[in-house]
Amino acid sequence: METPPGDPRPHRPLVGKEEAALEGEPLLVAELIPGRPQPFYWKSTCETWSVAFSPDSAWFAWSRGHCVVKLLPWPLEESEQSGKAWERKSHCTKGEASGRGGAKEKTLECGQIVWGLAFSPWLPPSSRKHAPCLVLATGLNDGQIKVWQVETGSLLFNLLGHLDVVRDLSFAPDESSSILVSASRDKTLRVWDLGQNGKQLQVLSGHMQWVYCCCISPDGHMLCSAGGEKSAFLWSMDSYSLLKKLEGHQGCVVSCDFSPDSALLATASYDASVILWDPCTGEQMRSLCHIPLQSSVDHSSDYHASSLRSVCFSPEGLYLSTVADDRLLRIWALELGSPVSFAPVKNGLCCTYFPHGGIIATGTRDGHVQFWTAPQALSSLKHLCRKSIRRFLSTYQVLALPIPKKVKEFLTYRTL
């Protein structure tokens, strides 16, 4: 059974076994609060549908509603509350990340409601001998995708092709890659190549309902997409063909994420559950059920109390975080299969981890972003070995190895 969150206690990183219980609840360390909205046109809204940290940990992107994205150097600087767009609740540890010296926040006027965000390093074709520049892709309400250069805040590409809301975006993980995948309410996914001036390479069809989410695996070989069919689709990033459908949810699948070693896939649904899959075989490994806590349920809400909004893996792959309509952020220990801590997040829509761990960012319907402490475990040697092996070997390749059965079960996460 889940237990309600208690009073916040000092956070202490985990040391030792992954299954050790977490001590203390997440602490709110900072909050971004939008200022008074400007008189934008009637279609603009205040929701923060997406938030993202850059891969180099130097920037944070905040879709703050009203067609605006804020690019903030990380870590956040101290500021006076009055007249500013954000409020500091307490100090983040500056040793956790180092922003670029002298970098200043930027405002991207997107002209449409912003739904999806994705960072990536990108090497322009004309400057192959230079270091990659950082870009941010924004998925918009009218089907456009605008790609911005972070350092200058200038618009690089305006990708046209989708006929409805671009709900999610995912870049291929390889630093030399310029491939971007977009998911849309027009029931398609589209593959773009920034290295060819934003050329559309492929249209992936097969969804019969809106596509809510997409995610490319860290090894770059698979793409997961999901939406209103109550199933997740797995595609090959090599051939852009459909590999398999993962069926098991009873409601729309609204979020998905691969583990850092690409060996697990998490899908979150309106049916109040997260399913962990082996993306190679299509097997269900575990189901995580969200039991609503009566004290946190708003019975006047139009939403099911435990409908999920977002799921994400921690950078080391030992934890999962979820945001649900019962106003809670949950942190799950993968080895336990149960939540180990909670934080109150009213009207949460999205969550993401800081690339080096230790911080979770959540976005809400009122345009706020909250930053919470997250457990950081010292990974065991066996987990580090599993991650290293699974980055290169699929489940079938592991099962074919001449090693003991128990080792195979551990390497393929059959011990969950």
Side-chain angles (χ1 to χ4, degrees):
M1 291 291 291
E2 297 178 9
T3 55
D7 294 332
R9 295 175 295 226
H11 166 69
R12 289 189 288 175
L14 292 182
V15 178
K17 295 183 178 180
E18 295 88 4
E19 58 268 22
L22 177 68
E23 296 185 15
E25 303 297 340
L27 300 177
L28 180 62
V29 294
E31 183 171 10
L32 299 174
I33 301 173
R36 180 175 298 176
Q38 299 298 316
F40 288 103
Y41 69 102
W42 65 273
K43 288 185 178 180
S44 66
T45 59
C46 65
E47 291 93 346
T48 291
W49 290 107
S50 184
V51 293
F53 287 100
S54 63
D56 62 2
S57 310
W59 293 90
F60 179 77
W62 171 27
S63 170
R64 54 170 287 184
H66 304 288
C67 312
V68 169
V69 172
K70 280 284 188 181
L71 283 171
L72 303 172
W74 187 269
L76 302 178
E77 297 296 331
E78 198 69 37
S79 176
E80 296 291 333
Q81 178 179 351
S82 59
K84 298 293 183 180
W86 61 273
E87 175 185 351
R88 185 73 168 214
K89 293 297 184 183
S90 65
H91 298 278
C92 288
T93 303
K94 294 205 172 187
E96 293 175 347
S98 57
R100 292 187 177 90
K104 296 182 179 180
E105 72 174 57
K106 296 175 177 64
T107 300
L108 306 180
E109 300 282 356
C110 296
Q112 292 282 330
I113 300 169
V114 181
W115 290 80
L117 297 173
F119 278 106
S120 179
W122 175 63
L123 191 60
S126 60
S127 57
R128 291 298 181 186
K129 295 182 180 180
H130 301 284
C133 66
L134 185 66
V135 298
L136 175 71
T138 55
L140 307 182
N141 196 68
D142 62 355
Q144 294 184 75
I145 301 168
K146 292 187 177 181
V147 182
W148 311 78
Q149 184 175 358
V150 172
E151 184 177 356
T152 63
S154 58
L155 181 64
L156 295 175
F157 301 104
N158 190 10
L159 309 180
L160 304 176
H162 281 298
L163 304 177
D164 207 335
V165 172
V166 177
R167 187 62 185 85
D168 201 9
L169 298 161
S170 181
F171 275 101
D174 187 353
E175 288 195 6
S176 63
S177 175
S178 56
I179 301 300
L180 172 68
V181 175
S182 54
S184 171
R185 285 184 180 177
D186 67 8
K187 306 175 186 178
T188 70
L189 298 111
R190 294 174 191 253
V191 184
W192 315 83
D193 187 355
L194 302 189
Q196 299 186 52
N197 294 316
K199 179 182 178 181
Q200 181 176 288
L201 299 181
Q202 196 79 24
V203 178
L204 304 182
S205 302
H207 284 279
M208 303 304 294
Q209 303 292 333
W210 290 353
V211 187
Y212 289 120
C213 57
C214 64
C215 182
I216 300 177
S217 61
D219 63 13
H221 293 308
M222 288 180 289
L223 166 70
C224 179
S225 63
E229 292 95 350
K230 305 179 184 179
S231 60
F233 288 27
L234 277 176
W235 310 80
S236 167
M237 283 298 293
D238 300 315
S239 62
Y240 299 123
S241 59
L242 181 63
L243 298 174
K244 56 178 68 75
K245 293 182 182 180
L246 304 178
E247 298 180 339
H249 282 292
Q250 303 303 311
C252 298
V253 183
V254 294
S255 183
C256 59
D257 195 27
F258 284 94
S259 61
D261 59 6
S262 303
L264 292 174
L265 171 68
T267 56
S269 169
Y270 285 161
D271 66 8
S273 72
V274 169
I275 295 180
L276 292 175
W277 310 82
D278 183 327
C280 183
T281 65
E283 295 176 71
Q284 288 191 34
M285 309 300 292
R286 170 172 277 171
S287 181
L288 308 176
C289 184
H290 286 60
I291 302 172
L293 305 179
Q294 294 302 316
S295 60
S296 66
V297 176
D298 181 3
H299 294 284
S300 65
S301 172
D302 293 332
Y303 300 99
H304 189 284
S306 292
S307 293
L308 294 182
R309 295 291 165 177
S310 185
V311 63
C312 60
F313 273 96
S314 63
E316 80 287 341
L318 294 176
Y319 297 96
L320 274 174
S321 290
T322 58
V323 170
D325 281 339
D326 62 0
R327 301 184 176 187
L328 288 176
L329 165 71
R330 289 172 172 83
I331 300 176
W332 305 72
L334 207 60
E335 297 291 335
L336 288 176
S338 60
V340 293
S341 61
F342 305 80
V345 177
K346 183 179 179 181
N347 297 323
L349 291 175
C350 57
C351 63
T352 190
Y353 274 89
F354 179 65
H356 301 308
I359 294 289
I360 301 172
T362 58
T364 70
R365 287 188 176 276
D366 55 11
H368 292 215
V369 175
Q370 296 170 325
F371 299 94
W372 305 88
T373 57
Q376 285 186 288
L378 180 62
S379 299
S380 66
L381 180 58
K382 65 179 184 179
H383 177 69
L384 292 175
C385 290
R386 176 169 60 184
K387 281 179 61 178
S388 298
I389 292 171
R390 293 311 308 272
R391 285 189 176 117
F392 299 100
L393 298 182
S394 70
T395 298
Y396 294 122
Q397 290 172 320
V398 170
L399 294 176
L401 294 175
I403 55 177
K405 180 180 179 181
K406 288 188 176 181
V407 178
K408 291 181 181 181
E409 291 175 348
F410 175 76
L411 292 178
T412 57
Y413 289 90
R414 267 57 183 176
T415 55
L416 291 182

